[in-house]
Amino acid sequence: MSQQKIEDFDDSANVLWSLYVREAKGHDEATIQTLTKDMNGVLLFAGLFAASLTPFIIDRAQTIQVTPAQQMVFYEQQSVELLRQISAQIASLSAQASVPSTSPVPDLTANPSRSDIRVNVFWFISLVLSLSAALLATLVQRWARDHMQIFQRYNHPLKAARIRQYLHEGVVGWHMPAIAEAVPALIHVSLFLFLIGLGDFLLNASGTVGWATVSAIAVYCTFYIIATVAPVMKPQSPLRSPFSVLLWHLAQWFRWRRYRDRVDGKLKLVNPNMAEGQMELAMEKKPTRKDRDERAIGWLVENLTEDIEMESFALGIPGSFNAEWGVGVWGRDAANKNDERTDGSSNEPPTGPATGNDLPIHKSRPPPPPSRLSTPRSLRRYIGTAIGTHAEGTARTPPNSMGLSSVRRSYPSQVDGIEELCRRIGRLFETCNNRGLFVNDDEWRRRSRACVETAASFIFCMDAKLSWFGDIGKLLSNLGRAENTREFSATGLNRSFAMSWTCLSIVATGQMLKSKRLQQYARGTIVTLALSHEVGNNPFDTDKLALRNAQEIDEQFATAWGCLDELYQAFKRFGEGNEAAERVEAILRRHESALKQIQIEADRMEQIDMRISDLQNAIDEATDNLTRQLPGVAFDSLTGLTPVEDAFHFLVNPVQAQLIYLRRRLEAFSFLTQGRSTEEYREIVLKTFDKIPTSLRSVVGQHRLMERQLWRLQDLCIGCAFGFTLELYFLAVRQTLSSSPSSSNESHTTFYVGAFKAITSDWEQSKRSVGTLQIVLDLVCDIAVRDRGIFSNYTYPSYITDELLKLLGNVVEGQATLRSHIDDAVQELQNVLWRHGDQDFRVSALRTILDHRSS
């Protein structure tokens, strides 16, 4: 006989059922714990109440039964009546007279008043209800214990899950939660019956005492009624009684209250279950919810009295910025708030019975365009007040094993709350610089990530200053190296963290590049470029000579490319025959003097490349190698020879270096003067052109590589590295956006825009630098013109280009002395021909320049 197949889950499903058991156990433990505490309270109160009620009942029970005094009177009456009858019978024997009949003695029965009956009825029912509540409480406790034993009795996940679900459905079907809720209600009814009987008794016993007691009872009953009705009328009310749940259910049966769903914005009926209904109202989409969230965060900060608690706070902050709502709560975005009020959710949803079968449907408006959030004044006030309340503590103990103080610090009450909060988070940054304080690298990463994401959130959403967090460049660099942020798309690094780290690192880099030492290195490189050619004995302008020499180097580069292009065309046209060889020889002969000049130019550039290398090393040192961790930023190498086929490859790579060593690339063209065979020339030339797209070949010679490097040098020298940092921003953002298609949500938009504004906030200090102006113009032209330069062939989001256009207008406005550079950019944007990049951006950029340039 074949074994019958068992239709059931196998052990591979245990993971799923283990999850069910874990979630069910947590849910049931919370419910059972609440029930147990309630039942313990019921038992305690019932015992005390029954003990207090018993003496009253014993005393008043005598009013409804025959008392000893009544019995004595009854027996005395019986005795008198018997004696009277005996006397009458004796008298009748002597007188031979008849004995008159007498009326019988009434029976021995109690004759309580109506008040006594009412009082006893109330008090005896009260006693029964209180004892019944105690009995039910013990039954509920027993049920709770039996229910929780499921998880200890059965170890197999599937068996435990099925038994729990089986019994849980019985709990729901038999309305056990309602029964448990009714137990305290019995106690309350019992107390009310006792109070009613007490009032009745005292009113009949003593008017003054009775009315005084009844007045106190009336006050209590009034409060109880208010507590019962309050949650129905005002769901936020903390007051409630066991009967509030029933009243809530009845009100919702009459369709009393509605709420606006936070997902689809529709008006819906509130859940008849009171707890679920309050949850729906708390989560309802309305402006007051944002205010409550603000106050909640302010309360949280107020209660963070110890620095050691700041790590948990820092871990929780970044997640609150991931959604548009969280950004609005922290940033108090007025646009979001106005939009929320215009979509019909500003007023509280109406209460009262709804008419018709269908509830009104809310039509939501499209979200407003992304914008930078304004200063969060209300939340800043909450946090400032909270920080100020802890100004008294001054003691400080040595840091614990994690480098944190375990007591409160003193804070000047005048210091802005947000600033002081940032400084407290900055102390977490300091501990992260010493990895020896941490048990393992995971702990260090966890705290470092929390610090980075929190600092980024505060800087870009709450207008905090980078300086408030202290010197964080070293930590950013170490963290970037540990997380391999340059290759985050390949390493699977969290996109939100990569964005926060990148934006914060760019802002930090911009601050670190404002160094006197870097300015000196940049000026020395400019002087070296100016002196690379003969200048004679006449006075000279260093910047003008440097520009002239840079342009000559670019011309040599273009000449070399032109020679290669002619050879390529010859090979394509004539193939491999003798005619091709003759054509190649003619081309080389015609360019012989130019090729020799290229070699001379390459020799002259040795010192220039050395100075550029020194500058790059100084940048690495000033930034703790932070720029080398940025995604999308490339770096050229000074060592080794560059084959001619790779001399132009950097133009094809979308990740291009800002500082390039051109000497090695010019030296690569020396093979054209080495008298090689036609076949060798053909192989090298074809290999070179194969690496360059057809669309790029026609403009390779137009790339002003050395001139653009000169603008960067001048920007580093006198432009406070404004343009250099701006280029880093666009390089890094392009890489992060390309690798993270989901980075278009509101919080990410706020971070990118916030980073842009942070690095361009001091544009007025740099706009007079020709290098800075030219970098901004080249950046705009790169985006607008295809294959033009390092930033071409990528469409940046409108929220970034809009900010760039604003910056362009600010930089161009009032530039009378540098008008020629602006005019050249206008001419280039107007004469794009077929090389359109971002067409809409090009039109907007052209309009912006024309509107702002000096007439």
Side-chain angles (χ1 to χ4, degrees):
M1 295 178 61
S2 60
Q3 186 177 1
Q4 185 178 1
K5 182 178 180 181
I6 300 177
E7 295 182 355
D8 204 346
F9 291 101
D10 57 16
D11 290 341
S12 60
N14 285 347
V15 175
L16 172 65
W17 295 115
S18 296
L19 176 62
Y20 174 92
V21 171
R22 185 169 62 252
E23 292 297 321
K25 186 177 181 181
H27 175 272
D28 292 351
E29 281 181 345
T31 303
I32 297 303
Q33 187 177 13
T34 302
L35 281 178
T36 301
K37 290 181 178 179
D38 288 346
M39 296 306 106
N40 288 337
V42 168
L43 289 172
L44 178 62
F45 184 84
L48 294 175
F49 180 68
S52 301
L53 180 60
T54 301
F56 287 91
I57 292 178
I58 292 175
D59 177 70
R60 298 312 301 167
Q62 298 177 8
T63 63
I64 60 175
Q65 60 185 350
V66 178
T67 63
Q70 290 175 328
Q71 289 179 348
M72 184 177 295
V73 171
F74 175 78
Y75 292 135
E76 287 179 353
Q77 290 178 347
Q78 288 280 19
S79 299
V80 170
E81 182 63 23
L82 288 174
L83 290 174
R84 191 184 65 79
Q85 290 182 4
I86 293 172
S87 177
Q89 288 179 355
I90 294 173
S92 65
L93 290 175
S94 63
Q96 296 296 317
S98 61
V99 179
S101 61
T102 60
S103 58
V105 178
D107 295 335
L108 181 61
T109 58
N111 188 24
S113 66
R114 291 184 177 180
S115 174
D116 291 335
I117 295 174
R118 290 195 303 270
V119 169
N120 278 275
V121 168
F122 289 142
W123 285 358
F124 272 102
I125 295 177
S126 175
L127 179 62
V128 171
L129 292 180
S130 64
L131 295 177
S132 300
L135 177 61
L136 287 176
T138 58
L139 292 176
V140 171
Q141 286 184 328
R142 178 57 185 270
W143 163 78
R145 287 193 297 269
D146 291 344
H147 186 81
M148 289 307 298
Q149 284 179 359
I150 298 171
F151 302 104
Q152 286 79 32
R153 188 179 302 152
Y154 303 101
N155 294 326
H156 195 277
L158 179 59
K159 184 180 294 185
R162 282 181 172 167
I163 295 176
R164 186 266 175 189
Q165 185 64 27
Y166 180 80
L167 296 179
H168 175 73
E169 292 176 0
V171 169
V172 175
W174 284 82
H175 304 288
M176 283 299 297
I179 294 175
E181 190 74 24
V183 174
L186 291 177
I187 289 292
H188 291 199
V189 173
S190 175
L191 178 61
F192 273 108
L193 290 175
F194 168 74
L195 294 176
I196 293 173
L198 181 64
D200 192 350
F201 164 67
L202 292 177
L203 283 174
N204 287 276
S206 174
T208 303
V209 176
W211 282 113
T213 304
V214 168
S215 298
I217 294 174
V219 171
Y220 165 73
C221 292
T222 302
F223 175 79
Y224 190 87
I225 294 173
I226 293 174
T228 302
V229 178
V232 181
M233 305 304 297
K234 296 291 183 181
Q236 279 187 282
S237 172
L239 305 177
R240 62 174 296 179
S241 74
F243 300 99
S244 299
V245 177
L246 177 61
L247 190 60
W248 178 286
H249 186 84
L250 291 176
Q252 289 309 116
W253 189 74
F254 287 103
R255 305 163 74 88
W256 172 258
R257 185 178 296 278
R258 290 158 287 167
Y259 76 102
R260 193 172 300 279
D261 190 86
R262 67 190 182 108
V263 177
D264 55 19
K266 296 180 180 179
L267 281 176
K268 298 180 180 179
L269 287 173
V270 174
N271 197 301
N273 183 287
M274 186 173 175
E276 293 294 325
Q278 289 178 322
M279 182 274 292
E280 292 171 345
L281 293 172
M283 300 296 291
E284 181 183 13
K285 181 182 179 182
K286 58 190 305 185
T288 54
R289 185 180 68 174
K290 183 176 291 186
D291 297 332
R292 286 198 305 272
D293 292 346
E294 282 184 358
R295 293 191 292 273
I297 294 174
W299 178 91
L300 175 61
V301 175
E302 181 180 358
N303 286 271
L304 293 177
T305 58
E306 299 180 359
D307 280 351
I308 195 171
E309 298 173 316
M310 290 307 298
E311 181 176 5
S312 299
F313 182 63
L315 286 171
I317 287 179
S320 65
F321 286 88
N322 286 342
E324 178 182 352
W325 183 266
V327 174
V329 168
W330 283 99
R332 298 298 294 151
D333 187 358
N336 287 350
K337 197 163 189 175
N338 292 336
D339 176 73
E340 192 174 58
R341 288 176 175 170
T342 56
D343 42 288
S345 60
S346 60
N347 298 324
E348 185 172 337
T351 58
T355 59
N357 296 327
D358 298 327
L359 293 172
I361 298 176
H362 168 69
K363 297 181 179 179
S364 59
R365 296 172 178 260
S371 59
R372 178 75 194 280
L373 302 178
S374 57
T375 303
R377 295 182 179 177
S378 57
L379 188 55
R380 184 183 295 270
R381 182 180 69 252
Y382 295 141
I383 296 178
T385 303
I387 293 293
T389 59
H390 301 300
E392 299 84 3
T394 57
R396 181 178 178 181
T397 60
N400 59 17
S401 61
M402 297 302 287
L404 294 175
S405 172
S406 59
V407 299
R408 297 188 304 182
R409 302 170 185 257
S410 61
Y411 304 110
S413 58
Q414 297 83 3
V415 177
D416 179 76
I418 295 293
E419 179 178 351
E420 185 54 43
L421 181 59
C422 293
R423 295 190 187 281
R424 293 174 67 181
I425 296 173
R427 286 191 280 273
L428 283 179
F429 271 104
E430 294 175 6
T431 64
C432 294
N433 286 325
N434 186 355
R435 298 177 70 167
L437 294 174
F438 298 87
V439 177
N440 50 51
D441 285 345
D442 290 339
E443 288 293 326
W444 174 78
R445 280 194 175 94
R446 185 170 66 92
R447 183 183 293 183
S448 299
R449 284 189 174 193
C451 291
V452 168
E453 294 189 79
T454 301
S457 300
F458 274 65
I459 290 173
F460 304 135
C461 298
M462 298 190 69
D463 295 330
K465 304 295 184 184
L466 180 68
S467 59
W468 294 352
F469 296 92
D471 184 10
I472 63 176
K474 182 178 180 181
L475 172 63
L476 290 172
S477 181
N478 293 337
L479 187 58
R481 191 179 300 108
E483 299 287 2
N484 195 14
T485 51
R486 285 180 57 81
E487 305 294 339
F488 75 94
S489 59
T491 59
L493 188 63
N494 180 272
R495 297 294 191 268
S496 179
F497 167 74
M499 174 202 62
S500 301
W501 181 92
T502 300
C503 292
L504 186 62
S505 296
I506 293 171
V507 176
T509 298
Q511 297 297 320
M512 291 185 287
L513 289 177
K514 297 176 181 179
S515 164
K516 293 290 186 182
R517 185 166 178 264
L518 286 182
Q519 293 176 5
Q520 295 172 357
Y521 271 96
R523 171 51 61 183
T525 306
I526 294 174
V527 172
T528 301
L529 177 59
L531 298 177
S532 61
H533 293 67
E534 294 292 337
V535 296
N537 297 324
N538 298 323
F540 63 92
D541 186 319
T542 303
D543 291 333
K544 289 183 178 180
L545 280 176
L547 178 59
R548 185 199 69 183
N549 294 341
Q551 291 172 343
E552 288 186 8
I553 294 172
D554 289 334
E555 289 176 4
Q556 298 297 337
F557 201 77
T559 299
W561 171 256
C563 181
L564 278 182
D565 186 55
E566 288 189 37
L567 292 174
Y568 178 73
Q569 298 300 330
F571 288 127
K572 282 188 61 178
R573 179 179 180 183
F574 300 106
E576 303 178 5
N578 294 331
E579 190 173 359
E582 294 175 359
R583 183 63 177 170
V584 168
E585 185 178 352
I587 293 172
L588 294 177
R589 191 164 48 248
R590 185 169 64 253
H591 289 281
E592 183 178 0
S593 59
L595 293 174
K596 291 180 179 179
Q597 186 61 35
I598 291 174
Q599 186 60 43
I600 295 174
E601 196 67 53
D603 294 338
R604 291 174 177 172
M605 289 188 62
E606 182 176 2
Q607 289 299 319
I608 299 175
D609 282 0
M610 292 298 298
R611 295 308 298 264
I612 292 176
S613 176
D614 293 340
L615 174 61
Q616 182 63 67
N617 293 334
I619 291 175
D620 293 340
E621 182 179 349
T623 62
D624 291 311
N625 287 311
L626 182 57
T627 54
R628 292 190 176 271
Q629 313 306 325
L630 292 173
V633 180
F635 298 88
D636 203 7
S637 176
L638 184 61
T639 60
L641 297 176
T642 300
V644 68
E645 57 266 26
D646 294 333
F648 303 96
H649 183 63
F650 70 100
L651 297 174
V652 183
N653 190 350
V655 181
Q656 302 178 22
Q658 291 174 283
L659 300 178
I660 302 174
Y661 306 115
L662 290 178
R663 175 175 177 269
R664 295 189 303 109
R665 290 173 171 81
L666 287 177
E667 285 181 337
F669 294 104
S670 62
F671 85 99
L672 295 175
T673 62
Q674 294 175 359
R676 301 192 181 188
S677 66
T678 303
E679 186 60 33
E680 288 179 313
Y681 284 133
R682 181 178 182 278
E683 180 181 356
I684 295 175
V685 171
L686 293 181
K687 186 182 297 185
T688 301
F689 273 76
D690 286 343
K691 293 184 177 182
I692 302 176
T694 305
S695 61
L696 187 59
R697 293 172 186 174
S698 60
V699 296
V700 169
Q702 301 176 22
H703 284 252
R704 298 174 288 108
L705 300 175
M706 196 64 209
E707 184 178 343
R708 293 188 68 160
Q709 288 202 107
L710 175 61
W711 303 137
R712 295 183 184 110
L713 294 173
Q714 291 185 343
D715 174 73
L716 288 168
C717 181
I718 59 177
C720 299
F722 180 93
F724 194 88
T725 307
L726 186 63
E727 287 189 328
L728 287 175
Y729 170 84
F730 275 88
L731 289 170
V733 166
R734 177 173 62 185
Q735 182 67 18
T736 55
L737 289 176
S738 300
S739 304
S740 306
S742 61
S743 297
S744 58
N745 63 52
E746 176 69 15
S747 62
H748 290 188
T749 298
T750 303
F751 275 54
Y752 288 126
V753 174
F756 184 95
K757 290 194 171 185
I759 63 176
T760 59
S761 59
D762 55 351
W763 59 269
E764 290 183 299
Q765 302 177 13
S766 307
K767 67 176 295 183
R768 299 305 174 187
S769 166
V770 61
T772 302
L773 172 64
Q774 194 61 54
I775 286 177
V776 174
L777 293 174
D778 281 332
L779 174 59
V780 170
C781 291
D782 279 357
I783 298 175
V785 182
R786 182 160 54 91
D787 298 327
R788 181 186 183 275
I790 188 173
F791 303 103
S792 298
N793 304 337
Y794 180 79
T795 302
Y796 287 90
S798 59
Y799 56 83
I800 292 179
T801 55
D802 289 345
E803 296 297 329
L804 178 59
L805 290 175
K806 294 177 186 177
L807 174 65
L808 176 64
N810 292 331
V811 172
V812 167
E813 189 171 18
Q815 294 281 19
T817 58
L818 304 176
R819 174 66 180 270
S820 60
H821 297 272
I822 300 173
D823 292 341
D824 291 341
V826 169
Q827 185 177 3
E828 185 174 3
L829 291 173
Q830 289 175 335
N831 301 322
V832 173
L833 300 178
W834 53 270
R835 293 168 54 207
H836 292 298
D838 188 336
Q839 176 68 0
D840 293 336
F841 175 77
R842 183 185 70 85
V843 174
S844 299
L846 189 58
R847 185 185 303 115
T848 300
I849 296 176
L850 295 177
D851 291 343
H852 289 82
R853 70 176 178 178
S854 301
S855 57

